[in-house]
Amino acid sequence: MAQLLKRMGLTLDLNKRDLFKIFLLSLAFFCVIGAYTILKELKDILFTQFVGSGYMGDVKFISMFMLVPATLLYAKLVDSMSRFKLLCVYSGLYGIVGLIIAYYLGDAQIGLPNAIASGDRWFGWFIYLFYEGAVPFVVSLFWSFSNSVTSPETAKKGYPLMIAASKLGGMFTAGLAWMLLTPTGIIGNIGLTDVAIHQLLLGLASVMLCIAPVIVYYLLKLGNQENLHGYEAVYKVEKKEEADGTDQTGMFSGLMIMFKQPYILAIFAMIFFYELLNVVISVQRLVILKSAAESFSGFSGAMFEQRLIIHVIGFFVSFFGTRILLKVLGERACLLLNPMFIGLLLVYFMVMRDAHAVLVVYTGLGVLNYAFASPLRESLYIPTVKDIKYKSKSWIDSFGMKISKSVSSLFIKSAKNVVPGTAMFNVVYISFFSTVIALWILVAWWLGRRYCKAIENNEVIGLQ
């Protein structure tokens, strides 16, 4: 029986030191994604309530340029701080400021009690722009830290477990939000006002962000230091650079490396293709949920309900699916499977073309991205130098993602007059989807081949 479970990938298959490390990283990631699940939805919900959905395009455009100086500052801090201190600074920043924002949500003038949406309600603008940095400066930073202390073999076995733990975190916070905001939820009638519920959720997310670095500190104090080297070839290069005094490379080095290294551009392309498809589907999803909601809380509850579904399915996919596929097929084949699975979802969307299909495909895209593609994509950073892990990655996860969303928005605007169900609609959308999937498969094939070659040759990617 034990042998059968091992072949199926249902055993942890990690030594005690790696298991201790993955357990604590998983616990910290539980907090990070639990918090991010709330912040991701509240960011859009609060902006819509304070400023209005008509300004959503404007704030997305502004956020692209706001993230540039923020990313440059982050790159500067990478050169002057240890990995752990950097994690503490950004987790603490979003945690403490989040508690302040939660308090002022109850203010009669600038908070939720003022139900009049207006373009000059700067509190709404600040909330959206501030939390736009949660991905590159919290979630992405946590992955950068994990990639720097984890070997490729441990990542193959342990990253799906970390993703599964993050899904539990998302299930916890999304489920709590859904139960609080939905009248039919288990604890939906406990006497809290809409304002108090949103304050409670934002406060919970902020506290969870503050807890994450405490768990990482415990790992650094009690973990085996040799086991925290990660990819040994990269560790040796970094120690040599520190000894030579060449480890500080400047604010723009990550951006320059991204354009010079085809490997990093290929990782960017993976995210770019996903965001192109995700934005097209998510815009229609927001319209469907907003039109079906009877109140502000009803809209919030529907958003969190679907996020809960994504996390529940994602947990089972990451724990039972991703681990087994990685164990049996390896990273190279799994990188190819991701766009193929998404292609099947898009075929379903084009065949059905109704509200139910939009919600199913949006859910499927979220599950595949977070539960299947994410551990694969993050593993690709392990054999890279520090500048790529931290600086190039931050550009990809901030400004790069905005570029892909902007391109997708251009497609939506250009195709908005195409009537669904017509021959022209089929031609436009099938051509768009097919082109993206075909390019994605080509990039995935090359990227998987390059990664496997680097690991086999004990190579460090990104050396000058």
Side-chain angles (χ1 to χ4, degrees), residues 8 30 34 75 157 216 223 264 282 291 337 339 350 382 392 396 399 411:
M8 293 175 64
F30 173 97
K157 300 172 183 177
V216 175
I264 307 306
S282 63
S291 61
L337 283 178
M350 291 305 301
I382 291 177
S392 296
I396 290 173
F399 194 65
F411 169 77

Side-chain angles (χ1 to χ4, degrees), residues 41 45 282-307 309 355 358-359 362-363:
E41 301 298 349
I45 291 168
S282 63
V283 168
Q284 299 185 50
R285 170 242 190 183
L286 283 172
V287 173
I288 291 169
L289 295 182
K290 183 72 172 178
S291 61
E294 297 179 355
S295 65
F296 169 55
S297 289
F299 175 50
S300 298
M303 295 274 282
F304 280 110
E305 181 182 10
Q306 191 172 29
R307 187 60 54 183
I309 293 171
V358 171
L359 297 181
Y362 179 83
T363 301

Side-chain angles (χ1 to χ4, degrees), residues 249-293:
T249 53
M251 295 188 295
F252 292 96
S253 61
L255 185 61
M256 294 170 62
I257 291 175
M258 189 172 74
F259 287 111
K260 291 180 179 179
Q261 286 285 340
Y263 184 82
I264 307 306
L265 284 177
I267 295 177
F268 163 73
M270 301 273 286
I271 297 176
F272 180 82
F273 295 142
Y274 166 75
E275 290 295 344
L276 281 180
L277 302 174
N278 183 56
V279 170
V280 171
I281 302 298
S282 63
V283 168
Q284 299 185 50
R285 170 242 190 183
L286 283 172
V287 173
I288 291 169
L289 295 182
K290 183 72 172 178
S291 61

